Amino acid sequence: MTSAAEQRAPAGEPAAGSGQPSAVNGARRAVPPVPAVWPGAPTPLGARFRVGPDGVAGTNFALWAAGAEAVRVCLFDEHGRETRIPLTELTHEIWHGFVPGVMPGQRYGYRVDGRWDPWTGARWNPAKLLLDPYARAVDGEFRLPPEVYGHVRDWPDQSVADTVRDERDSAPYVPKGVVVHDDDDWSDDRRPKTPWADSVIYELHVRGFTKLHPDIPEELRGTYAGLAHPAAIEHLVKLGVTAVELLPVHQFAHEDHLLRRGLRNYWGYNSIGYFAPHAAYAASGTTGGQVGEFKRMVRALHAAGIEVILDVVYNHTAEAGELGPTLSLKGIDNRGYYRLQEDARRYADYTGCGNTLHVVRPQVLRLITDSLRYWVTEMGVDGFRFDLAAALARSMHDVDMLSPFLAVIAQDPVLRRVKLIAEPWDIGSGGYQVGAFPPLWTEWNDRYRNAVRDFWRHALPDVREMGYRLSGSSDLYAWGGRRPYASVNFVTAHDGFTLRDLVSYGTKHNEANGENNRDGTDDNRSWNCGAEGETADEGVRALRRRQLRNLLTTLLLSTGVPMLVAGDELGRTQRGNNNAYCQDNEISWLDWSLLEQPGWRALFDLTSRLIALRHRHPVLRRRAFFSGRAQTADGLRDLAWFTSRGAEMTEGDWYAPAATLGMYLSGRDIPGRDERGAPVVDDSFLAVLHAGDRPTGFVLPGPPWAERYEVVVDTSVEEQAEPPGTVHRAGTELTVPARTVLLLRVA
């Protein structure tokens, strides 16, 4: 056991507090005294700067570590010297103490002592410096030498290596938490509060979106400040999106297998600090400045009318399984934080990342909900997309929609008011839960993605699936008071092909990842339009651009919440890599020079025009599902489906092979009223989607549907003319070019 308070100096120097002066390069300096520690308080958890008794400023440290035998907070000065201070107060399994004189900017960590008994899940090791789970900022980068593992990583017999405790000090090799003073009340901020039905989401990576932007100062590229720059925001405003969904910005670590191959985790789905903005994305330094920089970014986006949604990874951490490093929770209370198997040496893994947080336990649930509330109330964000949300909804083993996690979110006065998006699956048994999450939640709808991809590569056996997906997926979400905007519609996401690659590659090309092309899905549902990869064949290139227009038009005309991926609107390519999670380079970064090329500029213009059309027309943003029933004597219904003959579809038509589908949306029969109580009335539209490889005729339906139709969008045309377009009389048989969407407004 150590003394009541101890300090450790770098190798070659006497320990601080030894009573002897130290000499460095011949100069002698006094050793600072060991700070006193007062009892402090068990709440709030983490390191919180405040004014203590008698007006003395300092920091209160509080750490939940139920099974631990001793906890020491370790302070580090600018030379890396460590001062260890025991926390002797224990209240409700929380170790705590107030240390006078510890000011904002102080770097710190914890050492936690207890039993080493991996066979029962106990993995305490005081030689390992641990990151505070509640740290608001993190200084330094995670490296993974043998010293940061709680077990002897290079033990000769790897089958038992995790049972042999490593006594080497990890402090020189791991980042430290930073004490942050947070007194921002957000009184000058105005949240956009965009209704779900009016939302258009844009998934982007903070670093990749800004890294190559020519109008952002070089020192700000790849940072929160870069995303807050007027040049970045101008693109978002011109495009018309209402929210950015940021790939993970919680502090994360790089995996060992990537570091050994000279790669890094680019996407960030390997969290280790749920309260800290990832320090590598900060232009203002890593000793607390990243917190203010993130807040300024949020304010700038809010001022432009854009909400901020975070992609969050609460299902697992960067500590992996029993052979993973000891960085934080594993060394604080392994059994308390993680799901373990019956053989408690092993971790239950519903995530594919080695471990799963035990969300049923109150302290883990508290960690997650405290983090969520922090990002809403103190960092200003507007919602969350939960990675592998089914893992969070598991009770003891099975996915349970009455689980503690979902119940706590539903009643929380802060969290139930923000946007909540589930990735509704994990890799465990019964983990696929699309359509099953309760009201308040929206979901990534991969059935939408699959249907739209298959339709445009002409691979659907019939059009039944497409009808459901275009009209809001009522087969999945019309229950329990859920609405069409429960479906987040997407064709691409960060995981998989970009939109351009979807029409340019038949198979994945992930060789740059160093895994012999074994990683990434083989179920891409892509079509390369006749040539694999980049080609000089102008016919193939023109067809690809048309397919991109078809996919984007379909997405933005569908009922539900559309999600775009940054760069799809300007033809970004990852060169066929469908799993670019480790490509922190030009493969993943946006190439802004594409906007200077006429074909790709035209794609951006079409995308922004479609988004503007969506914003103008409530018939495209319905807040209730279609009824499909006539509301008036003339027989006009809110939704009708037509064959190419101009006749309403029969049940048999839904089951017959077809490449063409007509969808009529009535603006006269929109349920609900506006803010003043008046009925919502809009134009009516007919969308004709033709995925066949040859032109087809399509007869325009007559009364009561329309007398005349005006062409608004024609994806067979590269440069879209602004309305008013060509007007056609009802009953006319139009020739619809191969692989084309026509959007016609009832005139």
Side-chain angles (χ1 to χ4, degrees):
M1 298 295 291
T2 57
S3 59
E6 60 178 298
Q7 293 184 317
R8 177 165 295 182
E13 296 187 25
S18 63
Q20 300 295 326
S22 61
V24 179
N25 297 328
R28 299 172 69 83
R29 66 169 183 260
V31 175
V34 175
V37 56
W38 299 346
T43 58
L45 291 169
R48 301 300 293 266
F49 173 77
R50 63 179 176 85
V51 176
D54 301 323
V56 176
T59 297
N60 191 83
F61 295 92
L63 178 73
W64 183 91
E69 296 172 359
V71 173
R72 285 164 288 172
V73 61
C74 306
L75 309 179
F76 293 85
D77 68 13
E78 65 274 16
H79 303 290
R81 294 186 306 171
E82 177 181 355
T83 301
R84 300 179 182 178
I85 305 170
L87 299 181
T88 57
E89 301 294 324
L90 182 61
T91 304
H92 302 312
E93 302 179 326
I94 297 171
W95 300 77
H96 56 91
F98 178 84
V99 184
V102 172
M103 306 298 285
Q106 173 67 57
R107 299 186 306 145
Y108 74 100
Y110 289 108
R111 296 183 186 272
V112 182
D113 206 348
R115 291 187 306 114
W116 176 263
D117 187 11
W119 294 269
T120 63
R123 293 182 176 271
W124 284 285
N125 186 342
K128 308 306 167 184
L129 186 76
L130 306 174
L131 183 69
D132 181 2
Y134 281 73
R136 304 297 177 94
V138 176
D139 179 50
E141 189 166 328
F142 285 97
R143 294 174 287 160
L144 296 178
E147 288 85 352
V148 306
Y149 290 76
H151 65 282
V152 179
R153 182 183 176 191
D154 51 359
W155 191 256
D157 184 355
Q158 283 292 295
S159 67
V160 296
D162 70 289
T163 68
V164 184
R165 190 162 82 167
D166 188 296
E167 304 292 344
R168 290 172 288 187
D169 185 8
S170 70
Y173 310 100
V174 294
K176 282 74 178 174
V178 181
V179 176
V180 175
H181 182 41
D182 193 350
D183 59 354
D184 197 332
D185 63 4
W186 288 90
S187 60
D188 60 340
D189 182 64
R190 295 294 179 268
R191 295 178 184 261
K193 296 182 179 179
T194 307
W196 259 125
D198 300 339
S199 296
V200 178
I201 297 173
Y202 188 74
E203 187 193 46
L204 68 81
H205 190 288
V206 168
R207 178 170 168 82
F209 184 74
T210 60
K211 185 62 178 173
L212 299 178
H213 200 299
D215 297 328
I216 296 176
E218 188 170 355
E219 66 273 14
L220 301 183
R221 295 176 190 172
T223 69
Y224 307 118
L227 184 54
H229 191 273
I233 292 178
E234 180 185 19
H235 180 82
L236 301 173
V237 172
K238 284 184 177 179
L239 189 58
V241 297
T242 67
V244 291
E245 182 176 303
L246 306 182
L247 266 68
V249 295
H250 289 167
Q251 185 71 40
F252 63 85
H254 305 291
E255 295 90 333
D256 177 68
H257 69 92
L258 292 178
L259 295 174
R260 284 188 276 112
R261 295 202 301 270
L263 299 170
R264 298 162 62 85
N265 188 315
Y266 172 69
W267 287 349
Y269 291 91
N270 205 37
S271 299
I272 195 63
Y274 291 132
F275 290 77
H278 188 61
Y281 298 161
S284 53
T286 62
T287 56
Q290 60 264 52
V291 178
E293 183 178 333
F294 185 94
K295 291 179 179 181
R296 290 189 292 275
M297 176 197 73
V298 172
R299 278 188 170 87
L301 289 163
H302 282 179
I306 298 169
E307 294 184 306
V308 178
I309 298 171
L310 302 188
D311 195 336
V312 290
V313 189
Y314 294 112
N315 54 77
H316 75 280
T317 75
E319 294 186 298
E322 61 271 13
L323 296 177
T326 298
L327 306 173
S328 182
L329 305 181
K330 184 181 289 186
I332 294 171
D333 196 319
N334 185 57
R335 295 178 300 186
Y337 280 108
Y338 292 116
R339 290 179 180 266
L340 304 179
Q341 298 183 26
E342 186 174 346
D343 174 3
R345 276 179 62 191
R346 316 297 182 193
Y347 292 75
D349 183 8
Y350 298 113
T351 66
C353 299
N355 64 57
T356 307
L357 282 178
H358 205 333
V359 181
V360 174
R361 294 187 179 274
Q363 67 275 6
V364 181
L365 194 57
R366 178 180 181 181
L367 171 66
I368 294 172
T369 53
D370 282 354
S371 168
L372 292 169
R373 282 189 292 268
Y374 170 73
W375 286 96
V376 173
T377 60
E378 299 190 44
M379 300 296 272
V381 306
D382 305 286
F384 305 94
R385 178 264 187 189
F386 292 82
D387 180 65
L388 300 182
L392 298 173
R394 289 184 181 272
S395 290
M396 294 311 296
H397 300 288
D398 297 332
V399 178
D400 179 7
M401 292 304 158
L402 298 176
S403 66
F405 172 75
L406 295 178
V408 166
I409 296 292
Q411 60 79 43
D412 189 282
V414 172
L415 302 180
R416 69 189 181 204
R417 294 201 301 259
V418 302
K419 288 183 164 64
L420 303 171
I421 306 171
E423 183 183 37
W425 51 77
D426 64 19
I427 68 166
S429 176
Y432 186 75
Q433 294 289 323
V434 172
F437 275 71
L440 291 184
W441 287 82
T442 65
E443 301 174 14
W444 272 24
N445 187 352
D446 67 329
R447 288 185 61 178
Y448 179 93
R449 175 198 65 196
N450 295 347
V452 172
R453 289 186 178 193
D454 283 346
F455 178 81
W456 285 111
R457 66 189 183 109
H458 202 5
L460 285 177
D462 52 52
V463 291
R464 284 177 296 158
E465 185 82 5
M466 196 64 175
Y468 275 122
R469 304 307 147 233
L470 290 170
S471 59
S473 296
S474 60
D475 58 328
L476 300 176
Y477 301 111
W479 63 272
R482 303 189 81 183
R483 298 298 183 94
Y485 46 77
S487 176
V488 174
N489 299 330
F490 67 103
V491 179
T492 58
H494 65 275
D495 188 359
F497 280 149
T498 67
L499 202 66
R500 178 175 170 182
D501 288 356
L502 188 67
V503 301
S504 303
Y505 294 89
T507 59
K508 65 188 180 185
H509 296 268
N510 297 355
E511 290 79 8
N513 297 352
E515 299 177 43
N516 297 316
N517 209 35
R518 293 191 301 265
D519 63 304
T521 183
D522 293 312
D523 183 22
N524 294 295
R525 301 172 189 245
S526 61
W527 177 51
N528 64 18
C529 297
E532 187 70 2
E534 296 303 308
T535 177
D537 187 322
E538 185 51 43
V540 171
R541 295 168 67 174
L543 175 57
R544 289 174 176 175
R545 291 194 298 272
R546 181 183 295 197
Q547 287 289 79
L548 294 181
R549 295 193 293 272
N550 290 333
L551 290 162
L552 286 168
T553 302
T554 303
L555 175 65
L556 291 166
L557 295 182
S558 298
T559 300
V561 179
M563 184 186 80
L564 300 163
V565 176
D568 277 354
E569 76 281 9
L570 47 85
R572 183 175 76 91
T573 177
Q574 292 178 172
R575 306 169 199 166
N577 193 323
N578 75 349
N579 189 36
Y581 76 104
C582 57
Q583 298 299 323
D584 187 5
N585 50 48
E586 289 84 355
I587 291 176
S588 297
W589 303 340
L590 265 68
D591 178 4
W592 292 95
S593 70
L594 292 168
L595 281 174
E596 300 170 6
Q597 302 176 28
W600 301 124
R601 181 71 201 192
L603 185 69
F604 170 83
D605 290 342
L606 174 64
T607 307
S608 60
R609 183 179 159 209
L610 287 166
I611 293 174
L613 186 75
R614 186 180 182 91
H615 289 324
R616 287 197 304 271
H617 291 286
V619 72
L620 302 176
R621 300 179 280 108
R622 286 180 60 98
R623 288 162 166 76
F625 286 104
F626 296 97
S627 70
R629 295 187 296 272
Q631 305 295 323
T632 56
D634 62 9
L636 189 70
R637 296 190 296 281
D638 58 359
L639 174 68
W641 303 95
F642 293 90
T643 68
S644 59
R645 303 183 305 276
E648 287 193 69
M649 292 181 66
T650 65
E651 184 173 358
D653 291 325
W654 286 108
Y655 287 84
T660 309
L661 183 63
M663 177 178 67
Y664 183 95
L665 305 173
S666 172
R668 196 183 71 180
D669 301 294
I670 302 173
R673 296 183 294 173
D674 65 17
E675 293 179 350
R676 295 177 175 83
V680 178
V681 180
D682 193 14
D683 293 329
S684 297
F685 290 91
L686 174 67
V688 180
L689 294 83
H690 175 53
D693 58 2
R694 296 182 181 181
T696 188
F698 191 95
V699 178
L700 297 177
W705 311 104
E707 297 283 350
R708 297 183 309 279
Y709 296 88
E710 177 187 48
V711 176
V712 177
V713 174
D714 179 353
T715 64
S716 69
V717 179
E718 185 101 44
E719 298 284 346
Q720 296 286 309
E722 287 294 327
T726 305
V727 176
H728 300 277
R729 294 189 64 83
T732 301
E733 182 175 6
L734 295 184
T735 298
V736 183
R739 300 189 177 93
T740 293
V741 179
L742 291 180
L743 180 66
L744 304 104
R745 178 167 42 215
V746 172

